Amino acid sequence: MTDLHTLLLRELGPDIVCSDEALTRDCSHDESEQAPVIPDAVVAPTDPLQVETLLRLAAEHRFPVTPRGTGTGKSGGSVPVRGGAVLTLHRMDHVLELDPENLLAVVEPGVTCARLQRDAEAAGVFYPPDPASLETCSLGGNVAENAGGPRAFRYGVTREYVLGLEAVRVGGERFDVGHRPVKGVSGYDLTALLTGSEGTLAVFTKLIFKLIPRPGDPGLLILYFPVLQDAVRAVTLLVQRRFFPMALELLDRPSLEAARGPGFSPPDDAGGALFCELEGLAGNEATGRAVLDCLATAGCPPSGFELRRDPGEAGAAWDARRDVSKRLKARYAHKISEDVAVPRALLPELVRNVGEIADGLGLGSACYGHAGDGNLHVNFVTDGDPSRFSMAVERLFRVTLLLGGTLSGEHGIGTLKRRFLPAEHAPAALAMFHAVKRAWDPLDLLNPGKIL
Ligand SMILES: Cc1cc2nc3c(=O)[nH]c(=O)nc-3n(C[C@H](O)[C@H](O)[C@H](O)COP(=O)(O)OP(=O)(O)OC[C@H]3O[C@@H](n4cnc5c(N)ncnc54)[C@H](O)[C@@H]3O)c2cc1C
């Protein structure tokens, strides 16, 4: 038992300070390639007052605190790389208000994204953000990472839905930012600053989300193309011709192979596919036909397609798409996954470069993800020596930035991409990042070693 564990046990009690080895091990890692670090203590509050106490003690005794949702992060954000306490918020999991009249929900941070979606649907309204991890990831983690997902193409990322929140700073001070009405421009927008701050500025203890009216029942049109470049080109063609699907997801050949299974059998000769989710398609296939006609007229017809209007059939294909990351990991001895984004029309360039980088280094690659947003999960894979991954990633980041893109579309910087941050941001911007961190957390105790 560490000294910190003993101190916290005395101050917060055994119900809140965990002595369970399995949970402590869980809190040592996330879903990224960041090496695990066992924390000195794990604190699992059920009430914001306990969060206040922990963060007061952190300032008094100068120990680091790493906030954690459910550990599905892909950039090392919830790994306690400097030791200290992990503050896991999974037990604060109540939906406090669901108000269809005012189209808002107030929740604790440990509620999962899927739970809010289901509760909203039951109340006849809609919470659009849908990270592929939605069944397990927490809304606190979603806000801290400004999570995206397939439907971000049509509806925007988590930030568009955070109206306000309650947070606690190191020192133990709890405060509210933002507002409940959909509009509000009083003072600096601290809600926007905290959204995407990766647990480095404050700990969220309550979140106010905007909801929207439910759209017409969606259906899924899966478009198969003979070569990957046609699938990528089709994305911009559809947008140029004023189609606005709910989601527009790309899968290349290796990703299609990984996704293959019960409920999803792509044709053997498909070089790439687009998952095109269309509002109202479940009740009327006309919008699906219009997409097919548009691509034929534009000279980019798919070689095959599937119209999945039944929710169960569409759901099976979406489950396969959401599992691609896990299944790719199981197929290869080594895999590294990145999350770059470029302006949408430059996706063909990005995809061509990924192929060249992989071929040049004797690696395999698999690209899938949110093509409508120009955001791809680029994976390098091998059954041999993974030492060339770092060269592949450096080349990928160089190309991405040359194309006017960004190092992370949605997974955040965490520990894994911090050394690349100066390649994307000017020294003046980096200085402002440091100034913001100092203003909120001058002792560098909240999630140290992340982003900066
Ligand atoms: C299979 C799979 C698919 C995924 N698909 C997507 C996707 O489509 N889109 C996407 O955006 N991401 C995706 N992710 C990444 C991940 O699920 C998201 O980043 C998610 O938002 C993390 O939530 P979490 O609860 O797991 O947070 P954690 O991993 O526990 O933490 C993530 C970060 O949030 C901070 N944090 C957590 N809770 C709080 C809080 N209450 N207050 C302050 N800081 C906090 C942590 O310190 C850490 O920096 C995927 C991950 C997996 C494994």
Side-chain angles (χ1 to χ4, degrees):
M1 195 179 283
T2 62
D3 292 348
L4 180 59
H5 185 92
T6 310
L7 167 79
L8 295 178
L9 211 50
R10 193 175 62 231
E11 299 284 339
L12 286 158
D15 290 345
I16 305 304
V17 179
C18 139
S19 300
D20 170 3
E21 267 183 40
L23 180 60
T24 306
R25 254 196 322 276
D26 270 359
C27 290
S28 70
H29 65 89
D30 64 3
E31 291 291 329
S32 72
E33 292 87 23
Q34 169 63 48
V37 178
I38 297 281
D40 298 309
V42 173
V43 177
T46 53
D47 188 289
L49 289 174
Q50 296 148 0
V51 179
E52 285 180 15
T53 305
L54 176 71
L55 294 182
R56 177 177 55 74
L57 292 168
E60 281 170 18
H61 297 271
R62 307 277 163 113
F63 58 85
V65 174
T66 302
R68 181 182 180 89
T70 51
T72 67
K74 299 265 238 177
S75 54
S78 61
V79 180
V81 288
R82 305 256 169 96
V86 164
L87 168 55
T88 172
L89 292 134
H90 68 279
R91 289 168 75 196
M92 291 179 62
D93 63 351
H94 295 99
V95 174
L96 304 171
E97 271 182 67
L98 209 137
D99 180 351
E101 240 172 72
N102 286 303
L103 288 169
L104 62 82
V106 183
V107 304
E108 290 186 320
V111 173
T112 63
C113 179
R115 160 98 191 274
L116 177 59
Q117 283 195 350
R118 280 193 280 269
D119 282 13
E121 189 163 339
V125 288
F126 188 49
Y127 177 69
D130 61 341
S133 51
L134 81 172
E135 288 294 341
T136 47
C137 65
S138 75
L139 288 162
N142 289 177
V143 174
E145 296 289 351
N146 190 19
R151 287 178 175 162
F153 173 61
R154 170 80 174 254
Y155 298 102
V157 294
T158 301
R159 175 172 289 132
E160 328 287 337
Y161 297 89
V162 190
L163 292 172
L165 50 88
E166 176 188 88
V168 187
R169 277 177 63 190
V170 170
E173 181 192 0
R174 180 154 48 120
F175 55 95
D176 294 312
V177 299
H179 40 77
R180 290 171 71 101
V182 279
K183 294 175 82 175
V185 288
S186 120
Y188 290 121
D189 191 349
L190 297 182
T191 313
L193 174 64
L194 289 175
T195 306
S197 61
E198 300 189 28
T200 62
L201 302 181
V203 177
F204 315 140
T205 45
K206 202 190 284 178
L207 304 160
I208 308 175
F209 287 112
K210 176 177 95 171
L211 306 171
I212 62 172
R214 247 180 80 179
D217 291 339
L220 181 62
L221 173 63
I222 307 177
L223 302 159
Y224 297 107
F225 294 86
V227 290
L228 178 61
Q229 280 293 344
D230 282 356
V232 182
R233 205 157 61 86
V235 173
T236 319
L237 287 174
L238 288 173
V239 173
Q240 275 174 333
R241 283 156 181 77
R242 292 191 275 167
F243 282 92
F244 200 9
M246 292 170 79
L248 207 43
E249 295 278 297
L250 178 80
L251 288 94
D252 69 359
R253 176 83 230 147
S255 307
L256 282 172
E257 273 317 314
R260 183 188 293 284
F264 184 60
S265 325
D268 291 332
D269 58 355
L274 283 182
F275 274 31
C276 181
E277 187 180 45
L278 293 160
E279 181 179 347
L281 184 64
N284 176 358
E285 65 175 51
T287 43
R289 296 282 161 203
V291 166
L292 293 167
D293 290 348
C294 162
L295 290 174
T297 313
C300 188
S303 48
F305 69 90
E306 288 180 57
L307 261 177
R308 296 196 180 206
R309 295 168 57 197
D310 172 74
E313 283 179 16
W318 277 118
D319 286 346
R321 152 66 190 91
R322 289 193 188 105
D323 262 4
V324 168
S325 171
K326 208 165 66 192
R327 295 193 200 171
L328 279 172
K329 203 170 180 175
R331 284 170 85 91
Y332 298 94
H334 307 284
K335 158 174 118 75
I336 190 162
S337 165
E338 291 303 339
D339 155 53
V340 294
V342 296
R344 185 188 302 115
L346 297 177
L347 271 181
E349 271 299 286
L350 177 67
V351 167
R352 190 178 57 71
N353 274 281
V354 169
E356 284 176 11
I357 292 169
D359 289 349
L361 291 168
L363 298 169
S365 67
C367 290
Y368 65 90
H370 319 307
D373 297 326
N375 178 200
L376 286 190
H377 301 314
V378 175
N379 294 261
F380 294 108
V381 293
T382 182
D383 287 328
D385 172 16
S387 64
R388 279 157 296 165
F389 280 170
S390 58
M391 181 75 83
V393 168
E394 271 173 37
R395 290 182 188 175
L396 171 69
F397 286 168
R398 200 174 317 133
V399 164
T400 301
L401 294 177
L402 279 172
L403 293 174
T406 178
L407 302 180
S408 177
E410 57 183 21
H411 291 166
I413 297 299
T415 53
L416 294 177
K417 286 184 213 165
R418 28 189 307 245
R419 72 190 175 93
F420 296 103
L421 213 57
E424 180 168 348
H425 299 281
L430 288 170
M432 289 306 294
F433 290 172
H434 283 281
V436 168
K437 172 69 175 166
R438 273 196 306 275
W440 284 75
D441 177 23
L443 300 171
D444 193 20
L445 294 175
L446 193 61
N447 216 358
K450 311 296 161 64
I451 308 181
L452 300 173

